[in-house]
Amino acid sequence: MGKKTKVSDLVHNFHLEVVTGEEGLGRLIKVADMYRPGLEMAGYFAYHPRERVQILGRTELTFFETLSAEDRFDRITKLCREEETPCIIVTRGLAVPQELIREASARGLPVLRSPLATTTLVSRITDYLENKLAPTTTIHGVLVEVYGIGMLITGSSGIGKSETALELVKRGHRLIADDAVEIHQTADHVLIGNAPELIKYLLEIRGVGIINVMTLFGAGAIRTNKKISLVIRLETWQQDKEYDRLGLDEELTRIIDTDLPLVTIPVRPGRNLAVIIEVAGMNYRLKRMGYNAALQFTNKLTESISGDLDDPE
């Protein structure tokens, strides 16, 4: 089931004036897109997206004033008739047409007003709704920023995720979340991770307890949220399992509807996981810049073998 928010949330967050329709402030907003009904003011309602927040700016209202009384009544009646329409917002502090006030009041449709310019208000509300309505999930793991890269460290309980995060923080990197990572996906399939409010800036170290990273290491050691670019999976070393030794094949993992590169690191005594994760982060950046060490090695090896085969001596 999709996420929803209420019209009253918009009123509260953007300080909107309620012109009429107070009883409808509990109406649900289910989509982040907003709509300016210019064609509808001209009488074309065939593909009107009634489920969106409707925005009336200077262009729409100026055109509306040129219509006859009969046409004005017809357009406003059609604009307000659907119960799934969350609300209508008039921008720039413009006067609200009396036809709209009467019809919206009769149907319990909230009509709101903002002093902001239309494009400014649309941009701000769209950003707010995209964040509010974005698909979300919570994953057991640790989210850190290493060399500017958001890295989600996953693995079974007790494998050493928090201890590795502590070592990374000591090495100058930043913690976003420990134990539970809240992830939401924006419209362009970007995953943003943050910590739940209750455990923000906290890190649990077995044998020591819960520590506050910001208090111990300072404000430079934490971030509130970060785009996730790479997933590191820690797993117990299995003697009979073949691990990737070259790094030619890029494994992917899916979170919500987004595929992310996955690096599996086997854990056993003596391995410095923090250093390995740092190197994984630097290698990821190099790959995105077009340099792939494993691929270059393979190409050189192929050329060397081909050269030996061509040389009869």
Side-chain angles (χ1 to χ4, degrees):
M1 186 176 181
K3 297 182 67 178
K4 304 171 184 176
T5 189
K6 295 182 179 179
V7 174
S8 56
D9 295 330
L10 288 187
V11 174
H12 173 74
N13 284 282
F14 295 94
H15 310 290
L16 301 176
E17 175 192 353
V18 181
V19 179
T20 188
E22 293 87 349
E23 65 274 21
L25 293 180
R27 291 194 180 201
L28 298 177
I29 302 173
K30 303 177 183 179
V31 295
D33 295 325
M34 307 181 72
Y35 187 71
R36 299 182 65 174
L39 284 175
E40 286 71 15
M41 287 297 177
Y44 188 74
F45 281 83
Y47 298 101
H48 180 217
R50 297 177 176 86
E51 72 283 358
R52 301 185 190 180
V53 173
Q54 309 291 308
I55 300 291
L56 295 179
R58 178 181 295 165
T59 302
E60 292 79 16
L61 292 179
T62 301
F63 176 75
F64 181 76
E65 292 174 358
T66 66
L67 301 175
S68 66
E70 182 180 350
D71 285 340
R72 287 158 65 106
F73 175 78
D74 175 70
R75 309 296 152 74
I76 288 298
T77 301
K78 291 179 179 178
L79 190 64
C80 298
R81 67 185 177 186
E82 298 295 333
E83 292 185 2
E84 61 182 319
T85 299
C87 61
I88 297 174
I89 304 178
V90 175
T91 62
R92 295 182 178 273
L94 297 170
V96 181
Q98 289 302 311
E99 295 90 344
L100 177 57
I101 294 177
R102 287 195 299 269
E103 191 65 23
S105 178
R107 296 178 180 271
L109 173 64
V111 175
L112 315 174
R113 181 161 51 189
S114 170
L116 296 177
T118 307
T119 53
T120 302
L121 183 68
V122 168
S123 176
R124 293 182 182 180
I125 294 182
T126 300
D127 288 343
Y128 169 80
L129 290 178
E130 283 183 349
N131 181 66
K132 194 80 171 176
L133 303 178
T136 60
T137 187
T138 300
I139 289 181
H140 174 65
V142 177
L143 181 58
V144 290
E145 182 191 67
V146 179
Y147 297 126
I149 302 167
M151 302 174 69
L152 176 64
I153 305 174
T154 64
S156 58
S157 181
I159 201 167
K161 299 184 295 296
S162 298
E163 291 79 0
T164 302
L166 178 60
E167 178 64 25
L168 288 168
V169 169
K170 287 184 63 180
R171 296 173 70 89
H173 306 293
R174 297 199 278 185
L175 174 75
I176 294 94
D178 176 50
D179 192 48
V181 183
E182 291 182 346
I183 301 173
H184 64 272
Q185 175 182 276
T186 61
D188 51 354
H189 292 278
V190 171
L191 298 177
I192 305 296
N194 61 271
E197 193 64 34
L198 185 63
I199 59 173
K200 188 177 289 186
Y201 313 142
L202 300 181
L203 194 61
E204 179 193 355
I205 305 298
R206 284 177 171 80
V208 176
I210 295 175
I211 64 173
N212 189 307
V213 172
M214 184 170 67
T215 303
L216 285 178
F217 299 97
I222 53 94
R223 277 194 65 147
T224 55
N225 57 68
K226 180 66 180 177
K227 173 188 172 183
I228 302 174
S229 300
L230 182 65
V231 179
I232 304 292
R233 182 172 63 201
L234 304 181
E235 66 174 40
T236 304
W237 187 292
Q238 302 175 42
Q239 198 66 34
D240 58 344
K241 182 175 179 179
E242 288 290 333
Y243 291 101
D244 187 9
R245 301 184 64 177
L246 293 180
L248 286 174
D249 299 325
E250 187 176 82
E251 191 177 356
L252 299 175
T253 184
R254 171 158 289 203
I255 299 177
I256 308 179
D257 292 325
T258 302
D259 291 324
L260 293 175
L262 170 68
V263 176
T264 300
I265 299 178
V267 177
R268 68 175 179 180
R271 302 199 87 197
N272 192 325
L273 295 179
V275 173
I276 294 173
I277 288 175
E278 281 184 330
V279 172
M282 289 186 287
N283 192 48
Y284 169 82
R285 292 184 65 178
L286 282 174
K287 285 183 178 180
R288 292 302 176 267
M289 293 169 64
Y291 178 80
N292 190 320
L295 187 58
Q296 287 209 1
F297 168 75
T298 304
N299 291 337
K300 287 182 179 180
L301 181 62
T302 302
E303 291 173 3
S304 177
I305 294 174
S306 298
D308 291 342
L309 291 176
D310 293 339
D311 187 357
E313 298 295 327

